[in-house]
Amino acid sequence: MSLNHVRPWRDIYRRKSRQIMVGNVPVGGDAPIAVQTMTNTLTTDVAATVAQVQAAAEAGADIVRVSVPDEASSKALKEIVRESPVPIVADIHFHYRRGIEAAEAGAACLRINPGNIGDEARVKEVIKAARDHNCSIRIGVNAGSLEKHLLEKYGEPCPEAMVESGLEHIRILQDNDFHEFKISVKASDVFLSAAAYQGIAEATDAPIHLGITEAGGLVSGTIKSAIGLGNLLWMGIGDTIRVSLSADPVEEVKVGFEILKSLGLRHRGVNIISCPSCARQGFDVIKTVETLERRLEHIKTPMSLSIIGCVVNGPGEALMTDVGFTGGGAGSGMVYLAGKASHKMSNEQMIDHIVEQVERKAAELDAAAEAAE
Ligand code: SF4
């Protein structure tokens, strides 16, 4: 369940899944929903890839996936794993050797479809390598690359075909007594994805990796992911998510967190509540919010800040936030602390002042959390 149980209309009951480990990150069960992204550098360019992994981790990524298309990439992976602050998932397609190499290189998880890597002996070798190196597996069913026999049976990619594909791959792992796996059934179509995920959620207790594949650019992909993943998460489905955008991985992480934050499933950093602004605004709301978003990026403590243009909605929103600012007349506004009007502040000094207030509140909340441990 989410953290909002004092308000039952906000409750989300998460599907009960098994828990597996991706390196030191638990996925499934009652673990927080993990946020993932994927690097888009050449894996053989270790410095660039490590820099991207670090930036993603700094933005909050719990797990990062790296493509391993060839032997040189497997070699690079070893160094990337060593430098990475978060567990690395190796993305493998078809080449069973890459799977073995990636497990040996220290990948925390292999994204591989056991039914697509050759005969039984090869599958066994990959599973053995995963087991020997404490490596979990993600079965990644994708509507765009369904097995031929399923396309023949169903005529086109459909939810039933995707679920059947997933279950076939699961069976191979289970037949080899391998249970540290999670599964995704991605499609670029929101309806197909959502239906396939609901089907697989009923058919297995494996943890589920959510994603809408090839979602698009920053704006369109964000909306598509928010609708697709948002609906599933709201139903309680999903143990880890990756938002796929044709954009910087850091943006994927930010969008992933925003989706989880909107549903109260995870909290990280400052949640800014701001009005769209209109002729009544007592200061430039849009510019202020843009600046504050940038200046408060370093805050990881979950807290809320309301930035509201005027008294129409300002005091009401400030009631429910840790820090608030409401525009007033004559070039100044009211600062609210813990829901109460505290003091006036001029518009010119307001940004520095709000940053200070937020930093102070974050330190206070951190200290209280530490004392409670
Ligand atoms: S809170 Fe005030 S400034 Fe903001 S949109 Fe509403 S009326 Fe306009």
Side-chain angles (χ1 to χ4, degrees):
M1 197 163 69
S2 76
L3 305 175
N4 294 314
H5 44 275
V6 288
R7 298 186 179 90
W9 35 273
R10 282 187 181 161
D11 286 347
I12 291 177
Y13 293 93
R14 280 179 68 189
R15 158 185 171 267
K16 287 194 174 34
S17 58
R18 269 187 302 115
Q19 190 169 90
I20 66 160
M21 295 302 289
V22 175
N24 58 2
V25 175
V27 174
D30 56 3
I33 296 171
V35 175
Q36 306 200 23
T37 184
M38 186 169 179
T39 55
N40 56 21
T41 46
L42 273 179
T43 303
T44 46
D45 186 343
V46 173
T49 306
V50 167
Q52 216 172 50
V53 171
Q54 279 166 342
E58 188 54 35
D62 302 292
I63 298 167
V64 176
R65 181 157 47 118
V66 171
S67 223
V68 185
D70 47 34
E71 203 180 337
S73 300
S74 304
K75 290 212 170 86
L77 189 70
K78 197 166 187 174
E79 280 179 70
I80 294 163
V81 167
R82 202 168 42 223
E83 301 288 324
S84 172
V86 292
I88 296 291
V89 179
D91 195 77
I92 314 286
H93 286 277
F94 309 116
H95 298 286
Y96 85 108
R97 271 256 122 235
R98 300 290 93 77
I100 296 168
E101 289 161 5
E104 288 169 353
C109 178
L110 304 179
R111 185 270 183 207
I112 196 166
N113 288 346
N116 298 348
I117 52 173
D119 62 23
E120 224 186 302
R122 289 182 167 184
V123 174
K124 278 193 189 312
E125 267 190 78
V126 173
I127 294 175
K128 181 177 182 312
R131 185 178 286 119
D132 289 352
H133 294 90
N134 255 340
C135 192
S136 51
I137 288 180
R138 167 161 67 100
I139 295 169
V141 174
N142 196 311
S145 55
L146 277 175
E147 292 77 13
K148 218 168 139 230
H149 71 277
L150 290 172
L151 285 176
E152 275 163 13
K153 177 174 170 187
Y154 290 97
E156 61 167 12
C158 60
E160 294 76 15
M162 292 172 71
V163 171
E164 195 167 323
S165 169
L167 294 178
E168 282 177 6
H169 293 299
I170 285 179
R171 206 164 307 122
I172 296 172
L173 295 181
Q174 287 174 334
D175 286 350
N176 283 278
D177 201 21
F178 189 91
H179 307 281
E180 283 288 294
F181 62 85
K182 56 193 170 119
I183 184 159
S184 61
V185 282
K186 296 190 186 184
S188 57
D189 177 87
V190 177
F191 295 101
L192 178 53
S193 247
Y197 271 114
Q198 287 173 71
I200 204 76
E202 273 180 28
T204 170
D205 67 349
I208 287 182
H209 167 117
L210 286 187
I212 303 290
T213 194
E214 292 123 23
L218 184 56
V219 174
S220 54
T222 296
I223 292 169
K224 216 166 163 181
S225 298
I227 291 172
L229 306 193
N231 264 305
L232 289 161
L233 290 164
W234 202 328
M235 283 180 221
I237 297 171
D239 301 290
T240 175
I241 65 169
R242 188 242 171 149
V243 172
S244 303
L245 300 175
S246 306
D248 193 301
V250 164
E251 300 298 333
E252 294 190 349
V253 176
K254 285 189 190 165
V255 172
F257 261 100
E258 288 304 325
I259 292 173
L260 294 176
K261 270 157 73 173
S262 306
L263 291 168
L265 287 164
R266 263 190 96 172
H267 303 270
R268 180 184 201 273
V270 184
N271 187 19
I272 301 182
I273 289 142
S274 58
C275 76
S277 80
C278 72
R280 285 202 176 88
Q281 65 181 358
F283 63 100
D284 189 333
V285 174
I286 294 177
K287 229 196 236 153
T288 302
V289 170
E290 268 171 22
T291 309
L292 283 171
E293 273 182 346
R294 213 175 43 246
R295 299 252 329 245
L296 295 173
E297 257 181 1
H298 64 292
I299 306 278
K300 299 189 172 72
T301 316
M303 58 180 290
S304 53
L305 166 67
S306 55
I307 300 293
I308 308 289
C310 78
V311 292
V312 170
N313 288 325
E317 289 295 350
L319 268 182
M320 294 176 279
T321 49
D322 295 305
V323 176
F325 183 82
T326 296
S332 70
M334 181 61 76
V335 177
Y336 292 77
L337 299 176
K340 292 199 179 69
S342 172
H343 52 276
K344 278 191 159 182
M345 181 52 55
S346 72
N347 289 352
E348 289 84 60
Q349 291 169 305
M350 175 267 243
I351 290 189
D352 284 341
H353 185 71
I354 294 287
V355 170
E356 228 173 80
Q357 294 296 332
V358 168
E359 283 173 345
R360 187 177 302 162
K361 184 74 193 175
E364 208 180 291
L365 291 169
D366 288 347
E370 223 167 89
E373 266 172 20

